Amino acid sequence: MGTKHFLTLLDLSNADLLAIVQRAMQLKRQPEQARGLPQKTLGLIFEKSSTRTRVAFEVAMTQLGGTALFLTAADSQLGRGEPIEDTARVLSRMVDCIAIRTFEHAKLERFAEYSTVPVINALSDDFHPCQLLADMQTFMEHRGAITGKSVAWIGDGNNMCQSYINAAVAFDFELRIACPPGYEPSAELIEKHGDRVTLMSSPATAVANVDLVVTDVWASMGQEAEQAKRRASFADYQVNSSLMELANSRALFMHCLPAHRGEEVSAEIVDAKDSVVWDEAENRLHSQKALLEYLVSR
Ligand code: CP
Ligand code: NVA
């Protein structure tokens, strides 16, 4: 069997994804139950900023008895043009797992092709699967199984939105996506998963009676130059109290963070009683610990 990577949720079976989320819930309650990864090293290559993902991986490795090694492209030879294929082969001979945050998803795929140790997508322009493990854990902790529930994604058809499409398939829920024209997720993904996913332009229609409302920034990392243009295009796509009122009365609100209050979400919603954004952030630690246990102690 080849090396197991986690570049998108669909790299793992539905059963394994659910097992990782359940294990994360258990490790949160009983951290002493972790199998531990003594002597193991996780390499972290980050070409974009991060608070949660980086801290969760570093703390997870410390708690598991291993080590995390943080590398920025600028400080390593990658930044000076050493080929990805060579970097992958070299690091594979020294570390036990590598998490990468980068721009083009294809770069991750190329790295993984040459890596003999598991590669984790710590966010690419197209997908952010680690965040979805935490989101699924958070929903299940608050409301039980997500299977058969309905979720509204409001805003940009970005890496998080595309990961929700994969999650809808893997965890079997209905996903309604409301995006302004021109900012939809990949047409190929929508078409492929049309049985779980519906694309619409009206946020009000998307949130009607759903169990979970999710949004994310209007301009992702790498799109800073488009910020003003995007602010205008997304003006009608803010998650605020009047939009949340249309959802199911027990609907949760999630945001992967960092949030821009007053843009994609109003300040009162971030701190509302059904907002679970802080649990969602904490669960990055527990779910990434469960993921590392799964990938590294195989
Ligand atoms: N949600 C998330 O991935 O946060 P960071 O960019 O801080 O890692
Ligand atoms: N869509 C955002 C997510 C940040 C965690 C970005 O890519 O910047």
Side-chain angles (χ1 to χ4, degrees):
M1 195 183 72
T3 307
K4 192 80 139 166
H5 300 298
F6 186 59
L7 305 189
T8 78
L9 288 175
L10 303 185
D11 284 340
L12 307 190
S13 68
N14 298 354
D16 283 1
L17 288 170
L18 185 61
I20 291 169
V21 172
Q22 286 169 339
R23 177 72 173 155
M25 288 158 80
Q26 188 197 4
L27 291 178
K28 185 175 182 175
R29 290 190 304 267
Q30 299 169 291
E32 71 286 355
Q33 296 284 315
R35 281 203 292 279
L37 300 173
Q39 309 294 325
K40 301 287 188 189
T41 303
L42 168 69
L44 297 168
I45 301 176
F46 277 48
E47 297 186 329
K48 289 175 173 171
S49 305
S50 171
T51 298
R52 284 143 285 267
T53 311
R54 174 184 176 179
V55 174
F57 273 131
E58 293 202 14
V59 174
M61 283 309 283
T62 302
Q63 293 184 358
L64 292 168
T67 304
L69 187 67
F70 187 76
L71 297 161
T72 61
D75 297 325
S76 65
Q77 297 289 4
L78 255 181
R80 296 181 60 250
E82 183 166 13
I84 288 172
E85 296 80 353
D86 295 359
T87 308
R89 283 181 285 204
V90 170
L91 290 183
S92 292
R93 291 181 176 221
M94 299 191 202
V95 305
D96 304 283
C97 186
I98 302 166
I100 305 178
R101 172 168 284 202
T102 190
F103 294 85
E104 307 85 31
H105 191 76
K107 205 163 163 182
L108 262 172
E109 291 175 333
R110 238 164 72 224
F111 196 106
E113 200 182 323
Y114 286 86
S115 173
T116 54
V117 299
V119 175
I120 298 173
N121 178 1
L123 181 147
S124 68
D125 286 347
D126 294 347
F127 296 102
H128 193 10
C130 292
Q131 181 69 51
L132 265 291
L133 295 178
D135 286 21
M136 296 300 101
Q137 179 186 349
T138 308
F139 187 90
M140 290 180 207
E141 281 175 353
H142 284 268
R143 296 287 187 265
I146 195 161
T147 306
K149 300 279 200 247
S150 51
V151 178
W153 174 271
I154 309 298
D156 194 15
N158 62 12
N159 45 9
M160 276 297 300
C161 175
Q162 299 200 144
S163 298
Y164 261 89
I165 296 176
N166 286 344
V169 176
F171 291 88
D172 197 12
F173 57 81
E174 182 205 347
L175 179 65
R176 300 187 212 152
I177 301 173
C179 296
Y183 295 97
E184 295 89 354
S186 139
E188 198 187 318
L189 258 188
I190 296 278
E191 196 179 329
K192 196 160 156 204
H193 303 303
D195 53 333
R196 298 287 197 302
V197 183
T198 318
L199 193 57
M200 45 191 79
S201 56
S202 158
T205 312
V207 301
N209 215 27
V210 292
D211 303 292
L212 169 64
V213 177
V214 196
T215 190
D216 186 15
V217 290
W218 291 338
S220 285
M221 289 182 276
Q223 297 171 333
E224 288 77 7
E226 296 173 33
Q227 204 125 25
K229 180 172 158 249
R230 284 173 169 263
R231 209 173 284 138
S233 308
F234 285 89
D236 296 333
Y237 288 77
Q238 184 186 77
V239 178
N240 50 33
S241 304
S242 39
L243 193 68
M244 281 304 286
E245 267 167 29
L246 304 174
N248 174 332
S249 60
R250 296 192 72 228
L252 297 175
F253 170 74
M254 288 193 201
H255 189 309
C256 64
L257 306 178
H260 290 185
R261 290 170 175 80
E263 292 190 17
E264 77 275 3
V265 61
S266 63
E268 84 272 8
I269 289 299
V270 175
D271 296 309
K273 104 174 158 8
D274 289 321
S275 163
V276 288
V277 299
W278 312 119
D279 290 345
E280 200 186 344
E282 177 189 334
N283 286 340
R284 298 296 306 278
L285 170 63
H286 309 296
S287 56
Q288 282 169 218
K289 209 192 268 185
L291 176 67
L292 287 166
E293 225 188 26
Y294 169 87
L295 287 173
V296 183
S297 65
R298 289 167 76 76

